[in-house]
Amino acid sequence: MVEALPAQGVPADQVLAELRGLRAADRPTHGGRLFAYVYDPAVPGLDELARSAHALSAHVNGLDPTAFPSLLAMENALVGAASALLGGGPGTTAPDVVGSVTSGGTESLILAVKTARDARPEITAPRLVAPASAHAAFAKAAHYLGLVLDLVPVSPVTLRPDPVDIAAAITADTVLVACSAPSYAHGVIDPVAEIAQVAVAAGVRCHVDACFGGWVLPFLRRLGEPVPPFDFTLAGVTSISVDLHKYAYAPKGVSVLLHRDPALRAPQYFSYADWPGYTMINPVISSTRSGGPIAAAYATLRHLGQAGYLELTRTTLTAVRELADAVRAVDGLRLMSEPQATVVCFTSDDSGLDLFVLADELTVRGWHTQPQMAYADLPASIHLTVTPSVAASVAEFGPDLTAAVAAARALGPVRLPEELLVAAATLTPEQLTADLVAALAVDLGMGGKPGADDAPPVPDRMAEVNTLLNTAPPPLREKLLLEFLSLLQQPTY
Ligand SMILES: *Cc1c(COP(=O)(O)O)cnc(C)c1O
């Protein structure tokens, strides 16, 4: 790695060439072969538009909307658009919806939890009820904000929680009930109407995490898909999050958190005057905020329009169906759920077909999927987030999947040394020291080769690592990956 702060500055074109060199090691963000992390509509000219808009506002500071009214105007427009898509605004049963633009889904969820907590200051040990399938960001929010997270199991068949169990989990200390539309892992929509009703009956707020699906479900419905109600049309829903950097196709760093009315939003704000500087009034977690992501999102929405999103959703739906058909056609693979939104998730029913080996074989063929570990009574699975860019080459997926499955069967399941598996199953997180993880990482080919600057941090084949992680109970898996990350995050000089 080159130094970030050389003694003498480097010419601009050389700096850009260096950046391009670094980017070459990354997974492809375009081309429809990366089924996680990126959301690519494959619309010609859209990247250039978003980039120009981003550049125009990159130095504008969201700290003070009176100094930079351009950001206030764009944020209000984004919140209005999200509200209108999700059952709020003039002429609806939720005419008073308000909201904020945040940096991402996690920030939206942390703020939803904080707002619910601070609305009930009399509760000294606040609790959050969520299905086990809820996004990990709720656990992070509970951890940061000092709430107890009460997880309600999901059925291994429907992958949804039973509203009766949600009701039973609510106590006098519960400040918020959460659910997903849809869940990230499996792409299934929780029974939001029933959950919202249960929350109303208990006098508790209800947040719908539509970070993933909030911008695509309304368009799927317009295409005639059977999308159940999940938004402000349900009286008990008090807040909704929707990520613009997912299915609104904005560049990273922008999400919207909506509340049904200003009174519900009020505890979200933070203000502080008791210091010698400016009175700080923050609607969100960051104080200084770049206008770049907001302007890029605004430009993206304006350029695509509702007609554009509808067409992109049609294209995505075609790709989802073809991917699901490809999975159904393979003996030994099973869809975790019929696709309800834009996720295709499948597992292996056949002990001779190792899912993690299959994921590697798909990588070899240029398809980057997201393996998910076994959890409670749910098996390990492979997750595909589907976006319009997949459609162009989706016809190649079926044959490649068939070939990858044949190759994975031929290789057979991963066999790790017995002592390693025993260690993974029995070590306590406390026993797992940084040194132990460093030695393990070398054994497994992780962390790059010592001395080689540009070695990738993970090997091409991840089946052994994934098998080890899958064997480790969640607390040990957390510690393993945390120590590994800390190994990777070292200053370079
Ligand atoms: C992506 C996602 C989040 C977290 O969003 P980030 O933008 O990654 O912080 C939360 N919930 C769901 C359902 C998601 O898909």
Side-chain angles (χ1 to χ4, degrees):
M1 184 63 209
V2 289
E3 318 167 74
L5 185 62
Q8 298 296 328
V10 173
D13 48 357
Q14 188 184 329
V15 174
L16 278 177
E18 290 167 0
L19 275 176
R20 288 196 189 93
L22 283 173
R23 287 280 288 106
D26 294 345
R27 293 270 167 103
T29 56
H30 293 73
R33 286 175 162 264
L34 175 52
F35 288 110
Y37 312 115
V38 299
Y39 299 77
D40 179 12
V43 172
L46 190 65
D47 274 359
E48 291 73 15
L49 170 66
R51 210 175 291 150
S52 302
H54 200 291
L56 264 178
S57 295
H59 291 283
V60 174
N61 193 340
L63 176 64
D64 183 349
T66 63
F68 302 105
S70 70
L71 273 195
L72 180 65
M74 285 188 280
E75 286 195 321
N76 284 341
L78 292 176
V79 170
S83 162
L85 266 187
L86 297 169
T92 72
T93 53
D96 303 322
V97 166
V98 289
S100 302
V101 177
T102 72
S103 65
T106 300
E107 184 178 356
S108 291
L109 295 185
I110 290 174
L111 285 172
V113 174
K114 175 210 141 40
T115 309
R117 183 196 67 175
D118 291 354
R120 303 289 300 276
E122 76 283 5
I123 296 180
T124 52
R127 307 178 79 96
L128 163 63
V129 171
S133 54
H135 196 279
F138 283 111
K140 180 173 175 178
H143 179 73
Y144 275 23
L145 297 166
L147 279 82
V148 176
L149 176 60
D150 292 312
L151 286 180
V152 174
V154 295
S155 147
V157 178
T158 66
L159 307 171
R160 295 180 185 81
D162 186 334
V164 172
D165 294 339
I166 299 267
I170 298 175
T171 72
D173 290 332
T174 303
V175 297
L176 183 67
V177 171
C179 56
S180 317
S183 64
Y184 176 80
H186 307 116
V188 303
I189 304 170
D190 285 336
V192 181
E194 291 86 344
I195 293 173
Q197 230 163 25
V198 156
V200 169
V204 175
R205 289 178 182 227
C206 175
H207 180 82
V208 177
D209 178 6
C211 283
F212 189 86
W215 213 269
V216 74
L217 291 177
F219 293 104
L220 280 170
R221 186 184 283 141
R222 287 185 202 182
L223 290 173
E225 289 298 291
V227 175
F230 68 94
D231 57 18
F232 286 119
T233 52
L234 301 169
V237 171
T238 51
S239 57
I240 306 179
S241 50
V242 53
D243 290 352
L244 302 187
H245 61 204
K246 288 180 180 160
Y247 283 95
Y249 308 116
K252 302 287 182 252
V254 59
S255 168
V256 172
L257 172 61
L258 301 170
H259 297 275
R260 180 175 286 275
D261 62 48
L264 285 164
R265 175 178 66 177
Q268 180 187 315
Y269 286 7
F270 177 81
S271 62
Y272 196 76
D274 204 6
W275 74 304
Y278 56 89
T279 297
M280 198 168 78
I281 309 167
N282 291 155
V284 295
I285 295 179
S286 292
S287 201
T288 286
R289 289 186 292 144
S290 170
I294 294 163
Y298 175 79
T300 303
L301 263 61
R302 285 242 354 124
H303 184 60
L304 290 175
Q306 298 182 42
Y309 284 110
L310 192 66
E311 278 319 302
L312 288 169
T313 305
R314 199 191 302 276
T315 306
T316 306
L317 185 58
T318 309
V320 165
R321 289 183 175 152
E322 287 199 38
L323 291 168
D325 285 345
V327 171
R328 276 190 211 99
V330 175
D331 266 353
L333 294 183
R334 173 173 68 82
L335 288 170
M336 290 290 290
S337 154
E338 282 305 309
Q340 263 201 313
T342 54
V343 170
V344 174
C345 182
F346 58 93
T347 186
S348 162
D349 269 347
D350 175 343
S351 58
L353 176 54
D354 186 318
L355 216 51
F356 299 134
V357 177
L358 174 59
D360 285 349
E361 288 300 324
L362 285 168
T363 307
V364 168
R365 289 162 180 78
W367 300 98
H368 303 277
T369 63
Q370 192 165 52
Q372 302 182 137
M373 305 296 140
Y375 170 81
D377 47 9
L378 305 180
S381 58
I382 288 182
H383 166 110
L384 312 179
T385 286
V386 187
T387 57
S389 62
V390 175
S393 50
V394 71
E396 297 160 32
F397 184 79
D400 280 348
L401 179 65
T402 306
V405 165
R409 282 192 201 281
L411 283 170
V414 166
R415 302 238 178 277
L416 285 179
E418 191 57 29
E419 62 274 18
L420 201 55
L421 287 176
V422 170
T426 56
L427 270 181
T428 63
E430 297 71 38
Q431 289 168 311
L432 197 71
T433 61
D435 287 347
L436 207 58
V437 174
L440 190 62
V442 171
D443 277 355
L444 292 168
M446 314 262 294
K449 290 176 219 77
D453 281 351
D454 45 3
V458 295
D460 289 340
R461 290 205 164 254
M462 288 292 287
E464 291 192 350
V465 174
N466 283 330
T467 302
L468 188 70
L469 292 172
N470 196 44
T471 309
L476 189 70
R477 197 189 309 156
E478 290 161 5
K479 184 80 186 320
L480 261 167
L481 290 176
L482 189 143
E483 290 294 349
F484 179 60
L485 179 65
S486 126
L487 212 62
L488 291 181
Q489 293 201 308
Q490 297 294 334
T492 52
Y493 297 100

